[in-house]
Amino acid sequence: MVKKILSYSYIYLILLLMYVPIFVLIAFSFTNATYIGEWNGFSFDLYKALFKDQEIMVALGNTLILAFISSLVSTVLGTCGAIGAFYSKKRSRLALENVNQIPVVNSEIVMALSLTVMFVFMGSMIFHKNIFSFWTLLAGHIVISVPFVYLNVKPKLRQMDPSLYEAALDLGCAPRTALRKVLVPQIIPGIVSGFLLAFTLSLDDFIVTAFTRGPGLLSGDAAIETLSTLVQAKLKKGPIPMNMRPLTTIIFLVVLVATIIVTIVNSKNSKKVKTRKGRLN
């Protein structure tokens, strides 16, 4: 009984520490007070001012474009890598999985510095100019996202029925057709969750962004400004910008709704699979 109480108390304490700051931020997004803790009355003034703030809108646009493109590329690379490793020999599969673990367990500052050194070397020795731009920033985000997509897809490959893919090949399907129509539909939940995780990682990344960004996207000739770099720059000068409070509230609600939808869809798909297996048995 005591262990049960302690375990539940620990869980609720962790949840409290995680979500109370978010709910406080959401609450103070509905008042135009400069500092969190002051209450000037309920209003939507900050939400109205948010969409008129050109600086934040540019940073938001850069962040979303970068997150979408890097997540899309990372999902393709991570899924292909997971499928390739799954059908490889044991020694090759173990080697690929060990290499994939390095970016996951390694410190992000090490990855950022390594990428910076590589881009500086390439710029000075190969291109003979500064190559820091949107493309270096995109490469950095892909590097940190691909391993997590791989880790999301791999369990789904282990859970699927491998005989279906082999049966499709035996019945005359080309490998590409069998891959597209038989294998990929079985691992869609892992691919979707990998994409969402890669999108989230790109959305809030600061260290790799700060080290690898250059001019481009909506920032024009200036260094690309994302939400993370913008907040960091603002915090050097004073408190958290008021217009960031409604923006973080909107992002939190969008992510929450997306997570609920994905969970419901995955639950329905798993029930359909169980029903089909029950009928076959």
Side-chain angles (χ1 to χ4, degrees):
M1 185 66 180
V2 176
K3 289 182 178 179
K4 191 174 182 180
I5 293 173
L6 290 173
S7 62
Y8 276 107
S9 300
Y10 175 75
I11 292 171
Y12 289 134
L13 177 63
I14 295 298
L15 291 174
L16 192 70
L17 292 173
M18 287 175 61
Y19 288 103
V20 165
I22 296 175
F23 292 139
V24 169
L25 195 64
I26 291 173
F28 280 92
S29 70
F30 294 101
T31 184
N32 56 7
T34 304
Y35 297 95
I36 293 178
E38 300 176 356
W39 186 264
N40 292 344
F42 185 89
S43 72
F44 289 97
D45 292 345
L46 293 183
Y47 286 88
K48 295 175 183 177
L50 169 64
F51 296 100
K52 297 178 182 178
D53 192 323
Q54 187 66 24
E55 192 175 26
I56 290 180
M57 288 296 102
V58 167
L60 177 62
N62 288 336
T63 303
L64 293 177
I65 293 170
L66 176 64
F68 180 78
I69 297 175
S70 65
S71 302
L72 197 61
V73 177
S74 299
T75 302
V76 173
L77 294 176
T79 302
C80 291
I83 294 172
F86 183 75
Y87 286 102
S88 298
K89 294 180 179 179
K90 185 177 180 181
R91 184 175 295 179
S92 299
R93 183 170 64 253
L94 290 175
L96 286 170
E97 289 183 354
N98 289 331
V99 170
N100 184 77
Q101 288 293 334
I102 295 173
V104 176
V105 301
N106 208 352
S107 174
E108 193 173 351
I109 187 66
V110 175
M111 297 297 299
L113 285 171
S114 301
L115 288 167
T116 303
V117 171
M118 183 185 72
F119 293 141
V120 169
F121 175 80
M122 291 174 63
S124 60
M125 302 299 294
I126 300 175
F127 297 98
H128 303 291
K129 65 176 181 178
N130 182 7
I131 64 170
F132 284 92
S133 63
F134 164 72
W135 301 108
T136 56
L137 179 57
L138 178 63
H141 279 236
I142 292 172
V143 166
I144 62 174
S145 299
V146 168
F148 293 94
V149 176
Y150 178 96
L151 293 174
N152 273 270
V153 175
K154 186 176 72 171
K156 295 299 177 183
L157 287 166
R158 290 179 174 176
Q159 293 171 11
M160 73 175 189
D161 186 356
S163 61
L164 293 176
Y165 178 74
E166 294 171 1
L169 294 177
D170 291 340
L171 291 171
C173 257
R176 287 185 181 181
T177 306
L179 180 69
R180 179 167 50 89
K181 293 188 175 182
V182 178
L183 193 148
V184 171
Q186 294 185 80
I187 61 173
I188 279 292
I191 295 174
V192 173
S193 61
F195 175 85
L196 292 176
L197 181 57
F199 190 89
T200 304
L201 287 170
S202 176
L203 199 68
D204 65 357
D205 179 78
F206 170 73
I207 298 176
V208 171
T209 301
F211 277 80
T212 60
R213 63 177 176 155
L217 288 181
L218 303 180
S219 299
D221 295 331
I224 295 173
E225 199 77 80
T226 63
L227 290 175
S228 60
T229 58
L230 178 64
V231 170
Q232 195 270 344
K234 293 291 185 182
L235 287 175
K236 286 183 177 179
K237 301 176 182 178
I240 298 174
M242 292 188 295
N243 292 342
M244 293 302 298
R245 302 204 295 258
L247 178 61
T248 51
T249 300
I250 293 170
I251 292 173
F252 172 76
L253 293 177
V254 169
V255 171
L256 180 64
V257 171
T259 304
I260 292 172
I261 292 172
V262 170
T263 303
I264 293 172
V265 171
N266 289 343
S267 178
K268 288 183 178 179
N269 289 336
S270 62
K271 286 181 181 178
K272 288 180 181 179
V273 171
K274 289 180 181 178
T275 304
R276 288 173 185 172
K277 287 182 178 178
R279 289 175 181 175
L280 291 173
N281 295 330

